[in-house]
Amino acid sequence: MTIRENLEKREHDILSPYAAFSDESMGRDVFEEPCDLRPVYQRDRDRILHSKSFRRLKGKTQVFLAPEGDHYRTRMTHTLEVSQNARTVAKALRLNEDLTEAIALGHDLGHTPFGHAGERILNQIYEEGFRHQEQSVRVVELLEKDGRGLNLTKEVRDGIRNHSTSGTPATLEGKIVRLCDKIAYVNSDIDDAIRGKVIREEDIPREFTQILGNTLRERLNTLIHDLISSSMGRNDIIQSEEIEQALKGLRGFMFENVYINSAAKAEEGKAEYMIGQLYEYYIKHVDKLPQEYRDMVHEKGFTVERTVCDFIAGMTDRYAVATYEGLTIPRTWSVL
Protein backbone atom coordinates (compact mmCIF):
# COMPACT_ATOMS: atom_id res chain seq x y z
CA MET A 1 0.00 0.00 0.00
CA THR A 2 1.40 3.40 -0.99
CA ILE A 3 1.68 6.40 1.31
CA ARG A 4 -1.15 8.03 -0.63
CA GLU A 5 -3.42 5.04 -0.10
CA ASN A 6 -2.64 5.07 3.63
CA LEU A 7 -3.55 8.75 3.78
CA GLU A 8 -6.79 8.11 1.91
CA LYS A 9 -7.67 5.31 4.35
CA ARG A 10 -6.90 7.61 7.27
CA GLU A 11 -9.38 10.16 5.88
CA HIS A 12 -12.17 7.56 6.13
CA ASP A 13 -11.12 6.74 9.69
CA ILE A 14 -10.93 10.34 10.91
CA LEU A 15 -13.04 12.69 8.81
CA SER A 16 -16.74 13.45 9.12
CA PRO A 17 -19.11 11.49 6.86
CA TYR A 18 -19.93 14.87 5.29
CA ALA A 19 -16.32 15.43 4.16
CA ALA A 20 -15.14 15.26 0.55
CA PHE A 21 -12.90 12.18 0.55
CA SER A 22 -9.88 12.29 -1.71
CA ASP A 23 -10.41 8.81 -3.15
CA GLU A 24 -14.00 9.72 -4.09
CA SER A 25 -13.11 12.80 -6.13
CA MET A 26 -14.84 13.27 -9.48
CA GLY A 27 -11.33 13.53 -10.90
CA ARG A 28 -9.58 15.67 -13.48
CA ASP A 29 -10.52 16.52 -17.06
CA VAL A 30 -7.33 14.83 -18.25
CA PHE A 31 -6.50 11.53 -16.57
CA GLU A 32 -3.24 11.31 -14.65
CA GLU A 33 -1.64 8.43 -12.82
CA PRO A 34 -2.13 8.94 -9.07
CA CYS A 35 0.80 10.25 -7.04
CA ASP A 36 2.32 7.66 -4.70
CA LEU A 37 2.66 10.25 -1.91
CA ARG A 38 -0.16 12.77 -2.14
CA PRO A 39 -3.95 12.45 -2.37
CA VAL A 40 -5.52 14.45 -5.20
CA TYR A 41 -6.46 17.58 -3.24
CA GLN A 42 -3.03 17.87 -1.66
CA ARG A 43 -1.55 17.58 -5.14
CA ASP A 44 -3.88 20.36 -6.34
CA ARG A 45 -2.83 22.54 -3.41
CA ASP A 46 0.82 22.10 -4.36
CA ARG A 47 0.18 22.93 -8.02
CA ILE A 48 -1.55 26.18 -7.08
CA LEU A 49 1.18 27.13 -4.61
CA HIS A 50 3.89 26.66 -7.25
CA SER A 51 2.04 28.47 -10.04
CA LYS A 52 3.15 31.79 -11.50
CA SER A 53 -0.32 33.27 -11.00
CA PHE A 54 -0.08 32.57 -7.26
CA ARG A 55 3.28 34.32 -7.01
CA ARG A 56 1.88 37.36 -8.78
CA LEU A 57 -0.73 37.84 -6.04
CA LYS A 58 1.93 39.54 -3.90
CA GLY A 59 1.94 42.43 -6.40
CA LYS A 60 -1.83 42.94 -6.63
CA THR A 61 -3.94 45.37 -4.62
CA GLN A 62 -6.29 44.01 -1.98
CA VAL A 63 -8.21 47.22 -1.19
CA PHE A 64 -5.86 50.19 -0.85
CA LEU A 65 -4.10 51.13 -4.06
CA ALA A 66 -0.33 51.74 -3.67
CA PRO A 67 -0.40 52.43 0.09
CA GLU A 68 2.69 53.85 1.79
CA GLY A 69 3.74 51.28 4.36
CA ASP A 70 4.73 47.63 4.54
CA HIS A 71 1.86 46.30 6.65
CA TYR A 72 -1.12 46.71 4.35
CA ARG A 73 -2.63 43.57 2.86
CA THR A 74 -1.96 42.48 -0.69
CA ARG A 75 -4.01 39.96 -2.62
CA MET A 76 -1.54 37.29 -1.48
CA THR A 77 -1.71 38.08 2.24
CA HIS A 78 -5.50 38.13 1.96
CA THR A 79 -5.37 34.69 0.32
CA LEU A 80 -3.18 33.33 3.11
CA GLU A 81 -5.54 34.71 5.76
CA VAL A 82 -8.52 33.07 4.05
CA SER A 83 -6.60 29.80 3.90
CA GLN A 84 -5.66 29.91 7.58
CA ASN A 85 -9.20 30.68 8.75
CA ALA A 86 -10.72 28.09 6.44
CA ARG A 87 -8.34 25.36 7.56
CA THR A 88 -9.14 26.12 11.19
CA VAL A 89 -12.85 25.62 10.50
CA ALA A 90 -12.31 22.52 8.35
CA LYS A 91 -10.12 20.88 10.97
CA ALA A 92 -12.60 21.55 13.77
CA LEU A 93 -15.44 20.10 11.69
CA ARG A 94 -13.32 17.12 10.57
CA LEU A 95 -13.64 18.07 6.90
CA ASN A 96 -10.96 17.78 4.22
CA GLU A 97 -8.26 20.34 4.99
CA ASP A 98 -6.35 19.72 1.74
CA LEU A 99 -9.41 20.47 -0.39
CA THR A 100 -10.23 23.51 1.73
CA GLU A 101 -6.70 24.86 1.43
CA ALA A 102 -6.51 24.25 -2.32
CA ILE A 103 -9.74 26.19 -2.92
CA ALA A 104 -8.63 29.01 -0.62
CA LEU A 105 -5.20 29.38 -2.23
CA GLY A 106 -6.72 29.38 -5.71
CA HIS A 107 -9.80 31.49 -5.19
CA ASP A 108 -8.31 34.84 -6.31
CA LEU A 109 -5.78 33.72 -8.93
CA GLY A 110 -7.76 35.52 -11.63
CA HIS A 111 -8.05 38.83 -9.82
CA THR A 112 -7.03 41.93 -11.75
CA PRO A 113 -4.40 44.50 -10.83
CA PHE A 114 -5.71 47.33 -8.63
CA GLY A 115 -8.29 45.15 -6.90
CA HIS A 116 -11.96 45.58 -7.65
CA ALA A 117 -11.27 48.76 -9.62
CA GLY A 118 -9.54 46.62 -12.24
CA GLU A 119 -12.34 44.08 -12.20
CA ARG A 120 -14.96 46.80 -12.48
CA ILE A 121 -13.48 48.45 -15.58
CA LEU A 122 -12.83 45.17 -17.40
CA ASN A 123 -16.42 44.17 -16.69
CA GLN A 124 -17.58 47.44 -18.27
CA ILE A 125 -15.45 47.43 -21.41
CA TYR A 126 -15.40 43.72 -22.26
CA GLU A 127 -18.80 42.99 -23.76
CA GLU A 128 -19.02 39.45 -22.34
CA GLY A 129 -18.35 40.77 -18.85
CA PHE A 130 -15.59 39.98 -16.41
CA ARG A 131 -15.87 38.25 -13.02
CA HIS A 132 -12.70 37.43 -11.12
CA GLN A 133 -13.99 34.06 -9.88
CA GLU A 134 -14.59 32.88 -13.44
CA GLN A 135 -11.19 34.24 -14.43
CA SER A 136 -9.59 32.27 -11.59
CA VAL A 137 -11.05 29.08 -13.08
CA ARG A 138 -9.85 30.15 -16.51
CA VAL A 139 -6.34 30.60 -15.09
CA VAL A 140 -6.15 27.07 -13.70
CA GLU A 141 -7.86 25.45 -16.70
CA LEU A 142 -6.38 27.31 -19.66
CA LEU A 143 -3.75 29.94 -18.88
CA GLU A 144 -1.23 28.41 -16.50
CA LYS A 145 1.74 26.38 -17.75
CA ASP A 146 1.79 27.93 -21.22
CA GLY A 147 -1.84 27.14 -21.92
CA ARG A 148 -1.90 23.60 -20.57
CA GLY A 149 -3.53 24.59 -17.27
CA LEU A 150 -3.05 22.88 -13.92
CA ASN A 151 -5.56 20.07 -14.56
CA LEU A 152 -7.11 20.43 -11.10
CA THR A 153 -9.90 18.25 -9.75
CA LYS A 154 -13.50 19.23 -10.34
CA GLU A 155 -14.08 19.85 -6.62
CA VAL A 156 -11.29 22.43 -6.39
CA ARG A 157 -12.46 24.24 -9.52
CA ASP A 158 -16.05 24.25 -8.25
CA GLY A 159 -14.96 25.83 -4.98
CA ILE A 160 -12.96 28.50 -6.79
CA ARG A 161 -15.81 29.30 -9.16
CA ASN A 162 -18.37 29.59 -6.35
CA HIS A 163 -16.39 31.38 -3.64
CA SER A 164 -18.21 34.71 -4.00
CA THR A 165 -21.32 35.67 -2.07
CA SER A 166 -23.68 34.60 -4.87
CA GLY A 167 -22.01 31.21 -5.33
CA THR A 168 -23.24 27.81 -4.15
CA PRO A 169 -20.27 25.44 -3.74
CA ALA A 170 -20.92 21.72 -4.14
CA THR A 171 -18.76 20.72 -1.15
CA LEU A 172 -18.77 21.78 2.48
CA GLU A 173 -15.11 22.64 2.05
CA GLY A 174 -16.04 25.09 -0.70
CA LYS A 175 -18.74 26.57 1.53
CA ILE A 176 -16.16 27.14 4.26
CA VAL A 177 -13.93 29.09 1.89
CA ARG A 178 -16.88 31.14 0.64
CA LEU A 179 -17.67 32.36 4.17
CA CYS A 180 -14.06 32.64 5.34
CA ASP A 181 -13.27 34.84 2.35
CA LYS A 182 -15.92 37.31 3.49
CA ILE A 183 -14.83 37.07 7.13
CA ALA A 184 -11.21 37.70 6.16
CA TYR A 185 -11.66 40.64 3.82
CA VAL A 186 -14.20 42.54 5.93
CA ASN A 187 -12.04 42.33 9.06
CA SER A 188 -8.64 42.80 7.46
CA ASP A 189 -9.99 45.74 5.46
CA ILE A 190 -11.17 47.33 8.71
CA ASP A 191 -7.67 46.82 10.12
CA ASP A 192 -6.06 48.42 7.05
CA ALA A 193 -8.59 51.26 7.02
CA ILE A 194 -7.82 52.05 10.67
CA ARG A 195 -4.08 51.84 9.95
CA GLY A 196 -4.57 54.27 7.08
CA LYS A 197 -6.66 56.61 9.25
CA VAL A 198 -9.63 56.28 6.91
CA ILE A 199 -11.83 55.23 9.84
CA ARG A 200 -11.36 54.81 13.58
CA GLU A 201 -12.32 51.80 15.64
CA GLU A 202 -14.93 53.94 17.42
CA ASP A 203 -16.56 54.77 14.07
CA ILE A 204 -17.78 51.19 13.69
CA PRO A 205 -21.44 51.09 14.75
CA ARG A 206 -21.84 49.81 18.28
CA GLU A 207 -24.68 47.51 17.20
CA PHE A 208 -22.05 45.41 15.40
CA THR A 209 -19.16 45.67 17.86
CA GLN A 210 -21.41 44.63 20.76
CA ILE A 211 -22.03 41.35 18.95
CA LEU A 212 -18.74 40.74 17.15
CA GLY A 213 -16.15 42.49 19.32
CA ASN A 214 -14.12 45.68 19.53
CA THR A 215 -10.86 44.51 17.96
CA LEU A 216 -9.75 42.50 14.93
CA ARG A 217 -8.82 39.59 17.17
CA GLU A 218 -12.15 39.62 18.99
CA ARG A 219 -14.18 39.79 15.78
CA LEU A 220 -12.30 36.96 14.09
CA ASN A 221 -12.57 34.85 17.23
CA THR A 222 -16.34 35.43 17.43
CA LEU A 223 -16.96 34.74 13.74
CA ILE A 224 -14.83 31.59 13.49
CA HIS A 225 -16.23 30.11 16.71
CA ASP A 226 -19.78 30.81 15.56
CA LEU A 227 -19.15 29.24 12.15
CA ILE A 228 -17.82 26.07 13.78
CA SER A 229 -20.47 25.76 16.49
CA SER A 230 -23.35 26.49 14.09
CA SER A 231 -22.11 23.94 11.52
CA MET A 232 -21.07 21.17 13.91
CA GLY A 233 -22.77 17.87 13.04
CA ARG A 234 -24.58 19.35 10.02
CA ASN A 235 -24.30 18.65 6.33
CA ASP A 236 -23.99 22.40 5.77
CA ILE A 237 -21.83 25.37 6.70
CA ILE A 238 -23.86 28.11 8.35
CA GLN A 239 -23.71 31.02 10.75
CA SER A 240 -26.13 31.85 13.53
CA GLU A 241 -28.67 34.44 12.45
CA GLU A 242 -27.40 37.07 14.87
CA ILE A 243 -23.78 36.74 13.71
CA GLU A 244 -24.74 36.55 10.05
CA GLN A 245 -26.71 39.79 10.27
CA ALA A 246 -23.94 41.54 12.21
CA LEU A 247 -21.35 40.55 9.58
CA LYS A 248 -23.68 41.69 6.81
CA GLY A 249 -24.13 45.02 8.59
CA LEU A 250 -20.40 45.40 9.09
CA ARG A 251 -19.84 44.72 5.39
CA GLY A 252 -22.44 47.37 4.55
CA PHE A 253 -20.64 49.85 6.81
CA MET A 254 -17.40 49.15 4.94
CA PHE A 255 -19.02 49.70 1.56
CA GLU A 256 -20.43 53.03 2.65
CA ASN A 257 -17.35 54.34 4.45
CA VAL A 258 -14.35 52.66 2.84
CA TYR A 259 -14.99 50.73 -0.38
CA ILE A 260 -16.84 53.47 -2.26
CA ASN A 261 -16.53 56.95 -0.85
CA SER A 262 -13.29 57.14 1.12
CA ALA A 263 -10.22 59.24 0.31
CA ALA A 264 -8.22 56.01 0.08
CA LYS A 265 -10.14 55.12 -3.09
CA ALA A 266 -9.51 58.45 -4.83
CA GLU A 267 -6.78 57.03 -7.08
CA GLU A 268 -8.97 54.25 -8.45
CA GLY A 269 -10.28 56.43 -11.28
CA LYS A 270 -6.73 56.73 -12.57
CA ALA A 271 -6.26 52.97 -12.36
CA GLU A 272 -9.49 52.37 -14.26
CA TYR A 273 -8.48 54.87 -16.95
CA MET A 274 -5.08 53.23 -17.31
CA ILE A 275 -6.52 49.73 -17.67
CA GLY A 276 -9.04 51.02 -20.19
CA GLN A 277 -6.22 52.55 -22.23
CA LEU A 278 -4.20 49.33 -22.10
CA TYR A 279 -7.23 47.38 -23.27
CA GLU A 280 -7.84 49.69 -26.22
CA TYR A 281 -4.17 49.68 -27.20
CA TYR A 282 -3.81 45.89 -27.30
CA ILE A 283 -7.11 45.43 -29.10
CA LYS A 284 -5.64 47.56 -31.90
CA HIS A 285 -2.09 46.18 -31.64
CA VAL A 286 -2.38 42.42 -31.15
CA ASP A 287 1.16 42.04 -32.49
CA LYS A 288 2.44 43.83 -29.38
CA LEU A 289 1.08 41.15 -27.01
CA PRO A 290 3.60 38.66 -25.61
CA GLN A 291 4.08 35.61 -27.83
CA GLU A 292 2.06 33.25 -25.63
CA TYR A 293 -0.97 35.53 -25.95
CA ARG A 294 -0.54 35.97 -29.69
CA ASP A 295 -0.54 32.18 -29.95
CA MET A 296 -3.87 32.09 -28.08
CA VAL A 297 -5.37 34.21 -30.85
CA HIS A 298 -3.69 32.71 -33.91
CA GLU A 299 -3.39 29.05 -32.88
CA LYS A 300 -6.13 28.44 -30.32
CA GLY A 301 -8.80 30.67 -31.82
CA PHE A 302 -9.48 32.84 -28.76
CA THR A 303 -10.96 36.21 -29.57
CA VAL A 304 -8.71 39.24 -29.37
CA GLU A 305 -10.94 40.79 -26.69
CA ARG A 306 -10.86 37.67 -24.52
CA THR A 307 -7.09 37.36 -24.89
CA VAL A 308 -6.44 41.00 -24.02
CA CYS A 309 -8.58 40.54 -20.90
CA ASP A 310 -6.48 37.52 -19.95
CA PHE A 311 -3.26 39.47 -20.42
CA ILE A 312 -4.38 42.50 -18.41
CA ALA A 313 -6.01 40.47 -15.62
CA GLY A 314 -2.74 38.62 -15.09
CA MET A 315 -0.73 41.81 -14.57
CA THR A 316 0.53 42.97 -11.20
CA ASP A 317 -0.05 46.61 -10.29
CA ARG A 318 3.60 47.44 -10.94
CA TYR A 319 3.71 45.69 -14.29
CA ALA A 320 0.52 47.43 -15.43
CA VAL A 321 1.98 50.84 -14.55
CA ALA A 322 5.31 50.05 -16.22
CA THR A 323 3.57 48.80 -19.36
CA TYR A 324 1.38 51.88 -19.55
CA GLU A 325 4.35 54.20 -19.06
CA GLY A 326 6.27 52.35 -21.74
CA LEU A 327 3.42 52.89 -24.20
CA THR A 328 2.59 56.51 -23.39
CA ILE A 329 5.63 58.31 -21.96
CA PRO A 330 8.49 59.18 -24.36
CA ARG A 331 11.89 57.88 -23.37
CA THR A 332 14.94 60.11 -23.22
CA TRP A 333 16.85 60.05 -26.51
CA SER A 334 20.56 60.50 -26.80
CA VAL A 335 23.41 59.84 -29.18
CA LEU A 336 26.01 57.52 -27.72
Side-chain angles (χ1 to χ4, degrees):
M1 184 177 285
T2 65
I3 292 174
R4 184 202 80 250
E5 289 170 331
N6 272 315
L7 291 172
E8 291 170 346
K9 180 179 181 300
R10 187 186 301 174
E11 286 183 0
H12 286 278
D13 293 337
I14 296 174
L15 297 186
S16 162
Y18 303 126
F21 296 101
S22 298
D23 60 358
E24 295 177 1
S25 168
M26 292 185 290
R28 311 177 188 281
D29 286 350
V30 179
F31 174 78
E32 297 178 17
E33 288 295 335
C35 177
D36 62 332
L37 295 177
R38 299 165 298 168
V40 289
Y41 302 135
Q42 184 181 347
R43 201 175 186 186
D44 283 359
R45 184 277 312 273
D46 294 349
R47 289 180 180 183
I48 291 169
L49 193 62
H50 289 282
S51 68
K52 290 190 294 184
S53 51
F54 182 81
R55 293 195 292 274
R56 289 197 299 269
L57 293 176
K58 67 183 178 183
K60 295 192 177 192
T61 293
Q62 170 60 17
V63 170
F64 297 105
L65 196 153
E68 293 185 4
D70 294 331
H71 298 130
Y72 292 91
R73 272 77 171 182
T74 64
R75 190 62 57 177
M76 178 175 281
T77 56
H78 161 73
T79 293
L80 296 175
E81 289 177 359
V82 174
S83 177
Q84 179 265 319
N85 289 338
R87 283 201 62 166
T88 296
V89 175
K91 188 169 188 175
L93 296 176
R94 293 188 300 119
L95 297 174
N96 195 310
E97 291 180 64
D98 290 335
L99 173 57
T100 304
E101 186 174 23
I103 295 170
L105 292 178
H107 81 281
D108 269 354
L109 292 180
H111 227 300
T112 59
F114 309 114
H116 287 286
E119 180 176 23
R120 185 164 55 244
I121 188 62
L122 282 183
N123 188 51
Q124 290 174 9
I125 61 182
Y126 176 48
E127 64 178 17
E128 294 187 20
F130 183 94
R131 299 168 73 239
H132 78 271
Q133 57 268 42
E134 295 293 342
Q135 186 69 16
S136 295
V137 175
R138 186 171 173 83
V139 166
V140 300
E141 289 184 344
L142 296 171
L143 302 181
E144 268 290 336
K145 298 183 71 174
D146 298 321
R148 298 190 302 276
L150 301 181
N151 198 29
L152 304 181
T153 57
K154 290 179 172 62
E155 290 82 3
V156 172
R157 286 178 286 148
D158 169 83
I160 292 172
R161 177 178 284 110
N162 289 289
H163 77 266
S164 295
T165 300
S166 60
T168 306
T171 64
L172 297 192
E173 290 81 0
K175 291 182 178 182
I176 289 174
V177 173
R178 176 180 170 273
L179 281 171
C180 284
D181 180 37
K182 188 184 302 183
I183 289 170
Y185 76 69
V186 168
N187 285 283
S188 62
D189 293 351
I190 289 174
D191 190 46
D192 280 353
I194 292 172
R195 178 175 291 106
K197 303 187 186 305
V198 177
I199 60 171
R200 301 168 300 165
E201 179 69 47
E202 52 266 35
D203 293 332
I204 303 173
R206 188 164 174 76
E207 62 185 294
F208 307 136
T209 58
Q210 283 182 323
I211 296 170
L212 299 176
N214 293 295
T215 65
L216 173 68
R217 180 179 178 181
E218 288 178 1
R219 286 189 284 271
L220 287 175
N221 188 61
T222 298
L223 287 158
I224 297 301
H225 273 80
D226 177 77
L227 194 57
I228 292 169
S229 61
S230 299
S231 305
M232 190 72 71
R234 294 174 178 266
N235 188 18
D236 201 2
I237 303 298
I238 60 172
Q239 299 171 290
S240 67
E241 184 175 353
E242 180 184 44
I243 297 298
E244 180 181 12
Q245 291 304 313
L247 180 60
K248 186 179 296 185
L250 194 58
R251 184 170 177 264
F253 166 80
M254 289 297 289
F255 267 98
E256 184 175 348
N257 293 276
V258 177
Y259 296 148
I260 297 176
N261 300 318
S262 72
K265 311 297 278 185
E267 296 294 296
E268 286 190 348
K270 296 177 184 178
E272 292 181 8
Y273 176 79
M274 181 172 61
I275 288 178
Q277 291 295 298
L278 288 173
Y279 182 85
E280 292 299 325
Y281 176 83
Y282 285 109
I283 291 293
K284 296 175 182 176
H285 301 88
V286 179
D287 60 308
K288 300 298 185 181
L289 288 168
Q291 184 63 52
E292 62 185 287
Y293 291 94
R294 297 202 300 271
D295 290 344
M296 289 164 59
V297 175
H298 300 308
E299 297 181 9
K300 296 187 177 180
F302 295 166
T303 66
V304 172
E305 292 80 6
R306 175 71 265 178
T307 303
V308 172
C309 265
D310 289 336
F311 178 47
I312 293 175
M315 293 178 173
T316 61
D317 297 6
R318 182 174 59 183
Y319 183 72
V321 170
T323 302
Y324 181 75
E325 288 179 345
L327 295 175
T328 60
I329 298 177
R331 295 182 180 181
T332 301
W333 181 85
S334 64
V335 177
L336 299 177

